[in-house]
Amino acid sequence: MFVDKAKIFVKGGDGGNGIVSYRREKYVPEGGPAGGDGGRGADVIFRVDEGLRTLMDFRYQKHFKAEKGERGKVKSMHGANAEHMIVRIPPGTIIINDDTQEIIADMTQHGQQVVVARGGRGGRGNCRFATVSNPAPDFAENGEEGQERWIVLELKVMADVGLVGFPSVGKSTLLSVVSGAKPKIGAYHFTTLSPNLGVVEVGDGRSFVMADLPGLIEGAHEGVGLGHDFLRHVERTRVIVHVVDMSGSEGRDPFEDWNKINEELALYNPLLAKRPQIIAANKMDMPDSQEQLELFREQLSGLDGEMEYEIVPMSSLTKQGVQELLYKAADLLETVPEMPLIEEVKDVAERKVYTLEQQEDESFTVGKENEGFYVESAAIEKFMRRVNLNTHDAVMRFARTLRKMGVDAELRKIGAKDGDTVRIGDFSFEFFEGSDYFYE
């Protein structure tokens, strides 16, 4: 089964906790604090593996949680960092933050990797907080929580040449003739429900990857039929081979079919209208095909536009013209740059490239509620999770941090007085002018 879209949850490993410990050894004068730092949590890293071609693995496993860092050790020894979690993905995968729809990365090259969820930093042990005024601190930090998020993976098949056209025009048959691929072939619409890839040997030492893409129908740009499931993969092809049933079977007009498919491509992404295209006039072994081809040439010459299209008469059944088509596709590929960049993704205007390297936001807001006050700040709440507020030393350190941030001054401006209750997240404190907070 071909899977080209998946939604998964990723979480970086939590950092290990720092510990409180002291050295009391006979021959170590003034031993003092010796609690070690916790290890760093593991990152979740996505790495491209060219041996994969679908997102099938993510259909069965949707949660990826990295290992936690080891807690600190005695004698000021650092806890071990956790080993990073490597998740393999196929080339052509776009990673999107599900909450913001921002693009984290566009993965196209073998071995390319990106961190999608960073592990948390390890907490510091009490040996880190020793000062002249407090030579024996009785507190340590907890490890930082790892990042977590839901992400969407979108796979766009990476092929040099993509076969497009209405259903049953002979795309799968052509791929089976020119490569070792064995796509399902049937005399009914939508035989091909997912892309098929094959390596094509041109015969002069050149080769390229060809994709038989599912058939289009009118309205595909709005999601009709296979719709976006098909069009997503066309964006990755460097050259389009537009297969047209020149026999006019089923009472169809070859030129009208060709025109409708091009309209669907342009409506989905205007850049696709500028992609190099070869017209493969298929089924030339059928009666009346030659007359239809002449009419097709006349209609094509009457079009206004900058694009020039080359027509290759051929028959997948008799292999007439197939070799000529391969030569022309290989020649055209030599003039086309590598894979389209992320800027060519449809609706990229609404998608900003995402970065995990963000500055810490230390802003906060204060206000009144009922008979007390509250402080709201993501940075302060994150800091609180790292501080063990069960000791007096830790509470005093927390109070000094708030004072340096200006929280005390802002609370006094809105009327906070000694003994008033101040809520920060799930904790409540008593406020005093000296900026001493006492946890309730």
Side-chain angles (χ1 to χ4, degrees), residues 97 102-105 115 118 147 149 352-359:
N97 186 325
E102 293 174 332
I103 294 175
I104 296 175
V115 177
R118 293 200 179 279
Q147 293 179 328
R149 56 176 52 86
K352 297 180 291 183
V353 175
Y354 184 83
T355 175
L356 290 167
E357 301 292 346
Q358 295 179 334
Q359 294 291 328

Side-chain angles (χ1 to χ4, degrees), residues 219-256:
H221 72 281
E222 298 176 341
V224 177
L226 296 176
H228 296 164
D229 292 336
F230 160 83
L231 290 163
R232 179 187 303 123
H233 303 294
V234 182
E235 289 181 315
R236 290 294 192 192
T237 59
R238 296 165 58 197
V239 170
I240 295 174
V241 171
H242 196 146
V243 183
V244 179
D245 179 1
M246 203 54 66
S247 68
S249 61
E250 302 183 10
R252 306 191 65 86
D253 182 343
F255 183 76
E256 184 180 344

Side-chain angles (χ1 to χ4, degrees), residues 15-33:
N17 296 336
I19 67 167
V20 175
S21 177
Y22 299 92
R23 294 188 70 173
R24 295 183 179 86
E25 299 179 25
K26 184 176 181 179
Y27 298 107
V28 181
E30 301 177 0

Side-chain angles (χ1 to χ4, degrees), residues 306-364:
E306 301 178 358
M307 291 289 291
E308 293 185 3
Y309 301 99
E310 189 158 10
I311 303 175
V312 180
M314 56 161 288
S315 169
S316 298
L317 185 63
T318 65
K319 299 185 180 180
Q320 167 199 347
V322 170
Q323 190 61 47
E324 181 186 356
L325 175 66
L326 298 184
Y327 283 137
K328 290 187 180 298
D331 292 341
L332 191 54
L333 280 172
E334 293 178 354
T335 66
V336 178
E338 291 300 317
M339 281 299 157
L341 300 176
I342 193 65
E343 284 77 11
E344 293 198 13
V345 175
K346 181 180 181 289
D347 76 347
V348 74
E350 292 91 32
R351 293 181 176 180
K352 297 180 291 183
V353 175
Y354 184 83
T355 175
L356 290 167
E357 301 292 346
Q358 295 179 334
Q359 294 291 328
E360 188 76 33
D361 181 10
E362 295 188 352
S363 62
F364 63 87

Side-chain angles (χ1 to χ4, degrees), residues 9-289:
F9 177 80
V10 293
K11 184 184 187 308
D14 297 338
N17 296 336
I19 67 167
V20 175
S21 177
Y22 299 92
R23 294 188 70 173
R24 295 183 179 86
E25 299 179 25
K26 184 176 181 179
Y27 298 107
V28 181
E30 301 177 0
D37 299 345
R40 184 179 182 86
D43 297 339
V44 179
I45 300 175
F46 280 20
R47 179 182 295 166
V48 176
D49 184 342
E50 62 185 5
L52 301 177
R53 61 179 295 265
T54 80
L55 299 173
M56 173 62 74
D57 292 344
F58 301 101
R59 185 181 181 190
Y60 302 105
Q61 183 178 354
K62 295 184 178 292
H63 288 75
F64 295 84
K65 297 182 180 180
E67 294 292 327
K68 298 179 180 179
E70 190 177 13
R71 69 191 298 269
K73 299 182 179 181
V74 298
K75 298 184 179 180
S76 303
M77 290 190 292
H78 198 292
N81 295 332
E83 291 190 15
H84 297 316
M85 172 181 278
I86 306 296
V87 181
R88 299 184 306 140
I89 58 175
T93 303
I94 294 178
I95 306 171
I96 303 167
N97 186 325
D98 187 54
D99 292 331
T100 62
Q101 293 304 301
E102 293 174 332
I103 294 175
I104 296 175
D106 183 13
M107 311 294 282
T108 58
Q109 302 295 326
H110 176 67
Q112 181 183 356
Q113 62 183 38
V114 64
V115 177
V116 294
R118 293 200 179 279
R121 293 174 296 177
R124 291 175 291 180
N126 68 331
C127 68
R128 295 281 192 173
F129 301 103
T131 62
V132 174
S133 59
N134 185 12
D138 193 30
F139 64 91
E141 283 183 336
N142 295 326
E144 185 179 61
E145 293 182 353
Q147 293 179 328
E148 59 181 59
R149 56 176 52 86
W150 283 93
I151 62 176
V152 173
L153 304 178
E154 288 186 2
L155 174 62
K156 299 185 178 183
V157 168
M158 297 181 65
D160 299 310
V161 175
L163 302 177
V164 305
F166 266 87
S168 297
V169 295
K171 300 186 298 296
S172 297
T173 303
L174 175 59
L175 180 66
S176 68
V177 168
V178 300
S179 74
K182 300 185 184 303
K184 182 179 180 181
I185 300 173
Y188 54 91
H189 288 190
F190 296 110
T191 309
T192 304
L193 297 176
S194 61
N196 293 298
L197 293 176
V199 177
V200 178
E201 297 289 343
V202 179
D204 56 1
R206 293 181 293 177
S207 65
F208 56 82
V209 177
M210 178 181 283
D212 161 27
L213 301 168
L216 269 173
I217 61 174
E218 195 170 0
H221 72 281
E222 298 176 341
V224 177
L226 296 176
H228 296 164
D229 292 336
F230 160 83
L231 290 163
R232 179 187 303 123
H233 303 294
V234 182
E235 289 181 315
R236 290 294 192 192
T237 59
R238 296 165 58 197
V239 170
I240 295 174
V241 171
H242 196 146
V243 183
V244 179
D245 179 1
M246 203 54 66
S247 68
S249 61
E250 302 183 10
R252 306 191 65 86
D253 182 343
F255 183 76
E256 184 180 344
D257 284 357
W258 176 83
N259 214 26
K260 285 181 179 178
I261 295 296
N262 283 337
E263 286 179 2
E264 292 299 323
L265 295 175
L267 288 171
Y268 178 75
N269 186 343
L271 291 167
L272 291 178
K274 302 177 182 179
R275 198 66 52 84
Q277 183 178 132
I278 299 173
I279 301 174
N282 196 23
K283 302 188 181 181
M284 291 301 296
D285 57 308
M286 300 287 286
D288 302 327
S289 293

